[in-house]
Amino acid sequence: MADLTVDQGGRLRRPAGIRSIRLGDTKVSYVPDGDVRFRPLDLLEDTTDEVWAAHPEYLDATGQLVGSVGALLVEHGDRALLIDAGFGPQEHEGPQGPVRAIRGGALPQGLAELGRRPEDIEAVAFTHLHSDHLGWACHPAPGGDRPVFAHAEYLISEPEWERRDLLEAQGMAEQVAALAPRVRTITDGQEIFPGVRVRVAPGHTVGHAEYVITGGGRRLIAFGDALHAPIQIDHPEWSSAFDHDRVRTAEHRRRLVAEMAEPGTIGFGVHLADVVFGQVRHDGAGPAWRPLDA
């Protein structure tokens, strides 16, 4: 792996395109749906202006923290699983709060570029039930009235689905109703697809899930929103404003960072700009998060 420059070739300031890796007989691909711009001080409330002045490589020209929005396609033989479903064909701008702007809509095109149709997806496994992960599971296919993933089950951790009332209280009753007919709840440690096991890691939400994918002597941890930005690898004590339980999330993030530093372990963070696949290296040669293909 090559040494990285401080700004990692500008990749920390742009959203990711399609990227794929192989784990033995399993192919894993990031499928972009869009991007998000976070207000850094509002997203990571324990940071300061001085922190971001010292790390301008994470910010775009307007001072916003750049994030990706998308899904993870897992392919094993003819079978295909999707982890999360992007934001969907919509845009949103926030006049205040952590999200400055977010947009989606590109996921079906990305699947097509990877040679997959929505009907090829046998299941969509969610890390959690926030709108930027539910998008295309709740929106009909372009020009139609059927769900995009009409042939798929929706796999949601049991504790997450049991507390769907929290979503309804936040004005997401319509999304809950759209998901309900296809939901199958899953439990900690369950294998949901060849080489893919769910790991319930609450904190960001009450039943937030990670997915551990093994193959070819390696493992990949798709850690959902346990991390929103690569800088949290160096500072796991910095929790996101979106975390349901910030203390619990910080404790889990410390364990997760240590785990991703183990040999043969890869991390996948759907929001981590154009460095979604990476490994943790504490060698003093730069940021701890090293893009896998750097």
Side-chain angles (χ1 to χ4, degrees):
M1 183 174 296
D3 289 339
L4 301 177
T5 59
V6 172
D7 69 355
Q8 300 189 3
R11 291 171 59 182
L12 295 171
R13 289 182 277 186
R14 67 179 185 235
I18 291 173
R19 293 188 178 273
S20 300
I21 63 172
R22 284 210 170 262
L23 303 170
D25 294 333
T26 299
K27 181 182 178 184
V28 182
S29 302
Y30 170 68
V31 190
D33 190 46
D35 62 273
V36 60
R37 297 297 193 274
F38 295 111
R39 295 181 174 93
L41 293 173
D42 292 331
L43 178 70
L44 301 176
E45 295 177 332
D46 291 324
T47 64
T48 63
D49 287 327
E50 288 73 22
V51 166
W52 298 110
H55 293 286
E57 66 272 17
Y58 289 99
L59 307 180
D60 68 11
T62 66
Q64 309 305 307
L65 185 64
V66 178
S68 296
V69 175
L72 188 67
L73 175 66
V74 185
E75 299 176 278
H76 186 87
D78 293 333
R79 300 178 63 183
L81 167 79
L82 199 66
I83 297 176
D84 289 330
F87 188 55
Q90 54 186 338
E91 297 183 10
H92 171 75
E93 291 192 7
Q96 57 186 6
V99 175
R100 172 65 182 83
I102 183 171
R103 64 183 177 90
L107 186 63
Q109 179 184 342
L111 286 173
E113 290 181 26
L114 288 163
R116 290 289 184 176
R117 303 167 301 167
E119 52 265 38
D120 295 334
I121 306 300
E122 66 181 66
V124 182
F126 296 96
T127 56
H128 62 292
L129 301 182
H130 284 169
S131 60
D132 55 326
H133 297 257
L134 298 179
W136 286 102
C138 300
H139 286 275
D145 56 6
R146 298 186 69 205
V148 174
F149 301 108
H151 301 276
E153 288 187 303
Y154 292 163
L155 309 182
I156 300 171
S157 83
E158 193 171 82
E160 186 84 349
W161 187 243
E162 284 179 350
R163 293 309 316 272
R164 58 191 178 276
D165 60 298
L166 297 175
L167 297 177
E168 293 169 338
Q170 296 167 15
M172 294 180 63
E174 186 176 339
Q175 288 94 325
V176 170
L179 295 170
R182 291 178 169 77
V183 168
R184 175 165 66 90
T185 57
I186 53 180
T187 57
D188 186 62
Q190 182 176 346
E191 185 174 47
I192 61 168
F193 190 78
V196 182
R197 290 189 181 275
V198 62
R199 186 167 73 181
V200 179
H204 180 63
T205 60
V206 294
H208 181 272
E210 299 171 339
Y211 295 91
V212 182
I213 306 166
T214 57
R218 298 194 295 176
R219 64 174 173 169
L220 181 145
I221 304 171
F223 52 72
D225 281 11
L227 293 139
H228 282 77
I231 197 170
Q232 289 176 282
I233 296 286
D234 298 278
H235 297 278
E237 70 277 11
W238 292 346
S239 289
S240 154
F242 295 113
D243 289 342
H244 172 75
D245 185 331
R246 298 187 193 185
V247 172
R248 194 172 189 179
T249 306
E251 291 172 350
H252 170 68
R253 194 161 38 250
R254 290 186 181 94
R255 293 192 298 269
L256 176 65
V257 169
E259 187 178 12
M260 290 190 295
E262 295 175 4
T265 302
I266 302 163
F268 169 77
V270 70
H271 291 313
L272 301 195
D274 189 21
V275 291
V276 290
F277 293 113
Q279 296 174 303
V280 173
R281 294 287 181 266
H282 297 295
D283 57 10
W289 184 249
R290 306 297 177 83
L292 191 67
D293 51 357

